[in-house]
């Protein structure tokens, strides 16, 4: 795969005003395609709605048509990516690192457990990262996860996507996969892929998952 071409050799300062300046500069140089303009406009719109604590300490990467633009504020601890996937605009924020109360695996993954989901929800509120959709997604994840057989709970990878935020938690080898996301109507969707026929069979025999 061809690497994205970098439009700037160093990160730009991250602010709504500076994203607009970069867009206008590219336009004056004839280097602003419709797709890249849409990405930058989308980045400005979404970023302008973020809390000041995120705006002042983040790294924003815009990827479009094999081009990449990077903006940084503060120490760049929060990560934001704007990209196009099948002509749709995507805005994703990697949630900041959590405190010591939120358990992690030796390799750094957030550990998947009902207790950890609850602690993450509490920390996100303190960090002002919670949104209405993400809060609902976490609550739904916790209630559904408790209904899963222990066999699934102890060997699972769960990804929660809501309001541009993504959370990934792993237990065991993470061989079963749970994906929680909004469908076309904005309702919470809960999909599960099983690692084996036995996992599927055990879950089918568990009354709480019916």
């Amino acid at each position: 795969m061809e690497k994205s071409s970098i439009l700037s050799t160093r990160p730009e300062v991250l602010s709504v005003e500076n994203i607009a300046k970069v867009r206008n500069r590219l336009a004056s140089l004839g280097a602003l395609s419709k797709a890249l303009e849409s990405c930058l406009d989308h980045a400005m719109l979404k970023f302008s709605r973020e809390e000041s604590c995120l705006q002042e300490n983040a790294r924003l990467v815009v990827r479009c048509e094999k081009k990449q633009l990077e903006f940084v504020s503060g120490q760049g601890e929060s990560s934001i990516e704007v990209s196009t996937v099948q002509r749709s605009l995507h805005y994703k924020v990697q949630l900041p690192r959590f405190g010591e109360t939120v358990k992690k695996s030796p390799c750094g993954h957030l550990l998947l457990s009902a207790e950890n989901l609850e602690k993450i929800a509490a920390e996100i509120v303190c960090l002002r990262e919670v949104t209405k959709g993400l809060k609902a997604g976490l609550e739904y994840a916790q209630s559904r996860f408790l209904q899963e057989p222990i066999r699934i709970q102890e060997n699972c990878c769960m990804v929660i996507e809501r309001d541009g935020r993504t959370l990934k938690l792993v237990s065991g080898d993470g061989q079963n996969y749970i994906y929680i996301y909004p469908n076309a109507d904005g309702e919470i969707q809960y999909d599960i892929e099983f690692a084996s026929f036995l996992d599927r069979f055990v879950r089918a025999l568990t009354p709480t998952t019916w």
Side-chain angles (χ1 to χ4, degrees):
M1 181 181 293
E2 185 182 346
K3 293 183 178 179
S4 299
S5 58
I6 308 299
L7 296 184
S8 177
T9 56
R10 60 182 180 181
E12 302 280 353
V13 175
L14 176 55
S15 68
V16 175
E17 294 78 11
N18 209 43
I19 297 172
K21 287 180 181 178
V22 170
R23 181 195 60 183
N24 294 339
R25 186 172 75 228
L26 291 172
S28 67
L29 294 171
L32 186 67
S33 66
K34 287 290 185 183
L36 183 55
E37 183 180 20
S38 295
C39 273
L40 288 168
D41 286 345
H42 192 63
M44 280 191 289
L45 176 64
K46 300 288 285 188
F47 184 71
S48 67
R49 296 173 177 173
E50 298 289 1
E51 292 281 357
S52 59
C53 58
L54 186 145
Q55 290 188 7
E56 295 167 3
N57 188 15
R59 180 178 299 272
L60 168 67
V61 176
V62 177
R63 291 190 175 93
C64 179
E65 296 178 329
K66 298 183 180 180
K67 297 180 176 66
Q68 178 173 305
L69 278 168
E70 189 173 350
F71 302 81
V72 177
S73 62
Q75 299 300 310
E77 292 182 348
S78 294
S79 176
I80 306 171
E81 180 177 313
V82 179
S83 60
T84 53
V85 179
Q86 296 179 345
R87 298 184 180 180
S88 296
L89 290 166
H90 287 253
Y91 177 95
K92 290 187 178 182
V93 178
Q94 187 65 43
L95 293 178
R97 294 183 179 182
F98 296 94
E100 295 181 359
T101 61
V102 176
K103 296 179 181 177
K104 304 174 186 69
S105 67
C107 59
H109 290 307
L110 295 173
L111 286 177
L112 177 56
S113 68
E115 179 186 14
N116 229 26
L117 286 167
E118 186 173 349
K119 289 179 178 178
I120 286 169
E123 280 210 24
I124 286 174
V125 171
C126 294
L127 291 165
R128 293 188 291 175
E129 275 291 339
V130 71
T131 64
K132 189 173 183 180
L134 182 58
K135 182 174 183 291
L138 278 165
E139 291 173 349
Y140 190 77
Q142 189 174 3
S143 65
R144 287 295 300 266
F145 184 69
L146 285 170
Q147 298 175 38
E148 297 292 348
I150 297 299
R151 180 184 177 88
I152 301 292
Q153 291 185 22
E154 295 180 347
N155 183 21
C156 189
C157 173
M158 176 185 284
V159 174
I160 305 169
E161 288 192 0
R162 294 295 306 233
D163 297 338
R165 269 63 174 158
T166 301
L167 269 173
K168 180 180 178 180
L169 304 97
V170 180
S171 62
D173 293 328
Q175 293 177 319
N176 294 289
Y177 181 79
I178 296 174
Y179 184 34
I180 298 170
Y181 61 99
N183 62 20
D185 297 322
E187 298 175 347
I188 300 175
Q189 191 77 25
Y190 181 99
D191 291 346
I192 181 167
E193 296 178 10
F194 300 98
S196 67
F197 174 79
L198 183 56
D199 289 310
R200 183 187 296 274
F201 181 72
V202 170
R203 188 176 190 265
L205 293 179
T206 304
T208 55
T209 61
W210 295 350

